[in-house]
Amino acid sequence: MKILNFGSCNIDFVYSVEQIVVPGETITTKGMEVFPGGKGLNQSIAIARAGASVYHAGCIGQDGVWLGELLAENGVDISYLKKLDAKNGHAVIQVSETGENSIFLYPGSNRMLTVEFIKEVLLSFSKGDILVLQNEVNLVDEMIRLAYEKGMQILLNPAPFTQELKRIDFNMISYLVLNEVEAKCFTGTEDAEESIAYLLEHYPDMRVILTLGKKGCIYADREQVMSYPAFCVDAVDTTAAGDTFTGYFIAMLAQGKSVREAIGLATAASALAVSKMGAATSIPTKSEVEKAMFDLKPYEVEKKSREAQISEKIDRYLSIHLQDANMDGLAEALGYTKVYAGELVKKVTNESFSALLQKKRCACAAGLLCETDLSVTDIINRVGYENESFFRKVFKEMYGENPLQYRKKRGAGRK
C-alpha cells in the first residue's frame, strides 16, 4: 500500500498580532517570520514524521525550490513534484496572542496542475493505494474520479471550503476529515451530530472524522460513532493542527493501526503541533508523540457539563420523536448500545426511559390542553398514546386531575 499526497506547497508569511484584524482596522504587527507551509506539504511531512512512506505530487514555483528540498529532507519522496516557471503559492497568516489564526492564500503554482500531469502520476499507483487530497490545488474533482476508477482509497480534507467542492461525487470518498466550519458549509448546521448524520445519510460508505478543536473529534461510519477527547496544551499557533492530525491519522492507518489508535496518536500529534510556532516546523516526530502520550492529559469535561450535553440530546430526541420514541431510536441517536443508553438515561435523569417518556408526553399534552382547542382524543394521538384510558390514568397521577379538569382550570385564558 502506497500513500500519494497530491497537494499544495506554500510559503507562509506569518505575522504576530495582538488580535486578528477586523474590516476597516489597521494594526501594527509584533513580528514577521517566513515558514514553509501549505496543507499538502504539512500533511506529507506529518505522514513522513509519523513513520510512513509518502509520495508528494504537485507544482512549485521558482521561489519554492527550497520547499521541495525540505520535503526530501523529511523523508518525503518528491519524484512527482514538478517545478514551474511561475510564482509559488503563498499564504499571509495572522496569529493572535491566544494562538488563533486568520489566513488568506495566493494559489500561484499550486493551481497550475493539468489533467495530463495527474494521469501521468497516477500511472504509478494502483488499487488499494491511498490518495490524500486537500483543496488548495486545482482539479481535485478530476483527481478523485481518476483515483476512484483505479480503486484507490481517497482521503479528502475539504479545506479551504469553496463552491468547487460541490462538483465532487462524495460517494467516491473513503475518508472525509473536516472541522466544524467546513461541516457547516456542507450540511448547513452547526450541530456536530446533525452534520455527521447528514453526511452518512447521503454518503453511507464514507467514513467521517469531524475535528472539534478543544472538544476533540468524532469518528463515524455506518456501523459506529466514537468520540475522542483533545489533549490539554498551551496553544501558541493552531495553523498546522488539522494537517498534523490528518497526516498522522492516515499514516497510522497505513501502518495497520485501528481507527481508535490512529485517532489517539493523531490527536496527540496535533496537540504537540499547536504548542509551537509555525506550520511544517511544528509537526512532531512519531517518537516525540509516543513519549508525550505518557504526559499529555485530556481536556477535562466536568461531569455536570457532560451530563447536561447528554440530557440535551435526550430532550432533542424526544422532542422530534415524541410519537414514536423508543429505546432503540434513542440509543442510535446517542451513538451507544441500547443497554448503555438506558443506563445513561437513568444516570442523567434519575428516571427510566419509560418514565421519562410518559412525563414528556404528558407535559406536551398539558401544553396542548392549555393552548389549543384540540379534543382530548386528538391530543392523545398527537403525543403518541394508543391507549386512551392509560393516558388518562398517567396524566391524573402526574397532575392530580383528569385532562378536562386541567384544561378548565388552566386553559381559560387561551385564544
Side-chain angles (χ1 to χ4, degrees), residues 60-74:
I60 55 174
Q62 295 292 340
D63 51 337
V65 173
W66 64 282
L67 298 175
E69 295 170 351
L70 177 67
L71 284 167
E73 289 169 5
N74 280 276

Side-chain angles (χ1 to χ4, degrees), residues 138-198:
N138 61 320
L139 298 175
V140 172
D141 56 333
E142 187 69 12
M143 281 187 273
I144 289 172
R145 183 183 66 80
L146 291 170
Y148 183 79
E149 289 175 355
K150 294 177 73 72
M152 296 178 71
Q153 302 178 70
I154 302 168
L155 180 146
L156 174 65
N157 175 212
F161 181 87
T162 65
Q163 293 303 310
E164 293 174 348
L165 290 169
K166 294 185 177 180
R167 297 204 304 257
I168 295 170
D169 180 356
F170 279 81
N171 289 298
M172 298 180 180
I173 303 300
S174 306
Y175 295 92
L176 184 70
V177 182
L178 71 174
N179 62 25
E180 292 170 285
V181 174
E182 293 143 11
K184 182 182 178 182
C185 291
F186 279 114
T187 66
T189 177
E190 295 180 352
D191 184 272
E193 292 184 352
E194 290 177 4
S195 290
I196 287 174
Y198 174 92

Side-chain angles (χ1 to χ4, degrees), residues 359-381:
K359 182 181 285 186
K360 296 289 184 183
R361 283 176 169 171
C362 285
C364 182
L368 292 172
L369 285 166
C370 294
E371 297 163 9
T372 74
D373 290 315
L374 289 171
S375 69
V376 174
T377 299
D378 286 341
I379 290 174
I380 290 170
N381 292 332

Side-chain angles (χ1 to χ4, degrees), residues 45-51 231 233 241 244-245 247-249 251-252 255 257 260-276 282-297:
I45 289 179
I47 293 168
R49 290 187 180 173
F231 290 106
V233 294
T244 302
F245 179 94
Y248 261 79
F249 173 73
M252 293 301 105
Q255 292 175 47
K257 299 288 187 182
R260 183 173 293 279
E261 292 173 314
I263 290 181
L265 285 164
T267 302
S270 179
L272 294 183
V274 303
S275 65
K276 298 178 184 178
S282 71
I283 299 170
T285 62
K286 186 178 181 181
S287 61
E288 289 174 329
V289 175
E290 290 174 336
K291 182 179 179 181
M293 288 287 285
F294 292 99
D295 301 315
L296 287 171
K297 298 187 182 301

Side-chain angles (χ1 to χ4, degrees), residues 45-245:
I45 289 179
I47 293 168
R49 290 187 180 173
S53 298
V54 57
Y55 297 84
H56 187 98
C59 296
I60 55 174
Q62 295 292 340
D63 51 337
V65 173
W66 64 282
L67 298 175
E69 295 170 351
L70 177 67
L71 284 167
E73 289 169 5
N74 280 276
V76 178
D77 190 310
I78 58 171
S79 302
Y80 308 107
L81 187 62
K82 189 175 184 179
K83 186 172 75 172
L84 301 178
D85 185 16
K87 196 75 173 173
N88 203 91
H90 64 256
V92 175
I93 304 171
Q94 301 175 64
V95 180
S96 72
E97 290 181 345
T98 60
E100 296 298 316
N101 65 71
S102 176
I103 306 171
F104 70 82
L105 299 168
Y106 169 72
S109 55
N110 290 315
R111 295 187 68 84
M112 295 181 181
L113 298 175
T114 64
V115 174
E116 291 73 19
F117 176 59
I118 294 168
K119 288 181 177 178
E120 180 184 339
V121 172
L122 290 179
L123 284 174
S124 301
F125 297 86
S126 57
K127 183 177 181 179
D129 290 340
I130 300 171
L131 175 63
V132 180
L133 294 170
Q134 319 80 37
N135 195 37
E136 290 181 346
V137 297
N138 61 320
L139 298 175
V140 172
D141 56 333
E142 187 69 12
M143 281 187 273
I144 289 172
R145 183 183 66 80
L146 291 170
Y148 183 79
E149 289 175 355
K150 294 177 73 72
M152 296 178 71
Q153 302 178 70
I154 302 168
L155 180 146
L156 174 65
N157 175 212
F161 181 87
T162 65
Q163 293 303 310
E164 293 174 348
L165 290 169
K166 294 185 177 180
R167 297 204 304 257
I168 295 170
D169 180 356
F170 279 81
N171 289 298
M172 298 180 180
I173 303 300
S174 306
Y175 295 92
L176 184 70
V177 182
L178 71 174
N179 62 25
E180 292 170 285
V181 174
E182 293 143 11
K184 182 182 178 182
C185 291
F186 279 114
T187 66
T189 177
E190 295 180 352
D191 184 272
E193 292 184 352
E194 290 177 4
S195 290
I196 287 174
Y198 174 92
L199 290 167
L200 291 181
E201 179 184 351
H202 288 79
Y203 314 105
D205 293 327
M206 187 165 65
R207 283 147 284 188
V208 179
I209 302 94
L210 177 58
T211 59
L212 305 169
K214 291 182 179 180
K215 293 179 287 184
C217 71
I218 300 173
Y219 169 87
D221 59 33
R222 67 195 309 170
E223 302 293 336
Q224 61 186 330
V225 177
M226 298 184 288
S227 297
Y228 301 82
F231 290 106
C232 185
V233 294
D234 293 325
V236 175
D237 182 358
T238 61
T239 307
D243 298 333
T244 302
F245 179 94

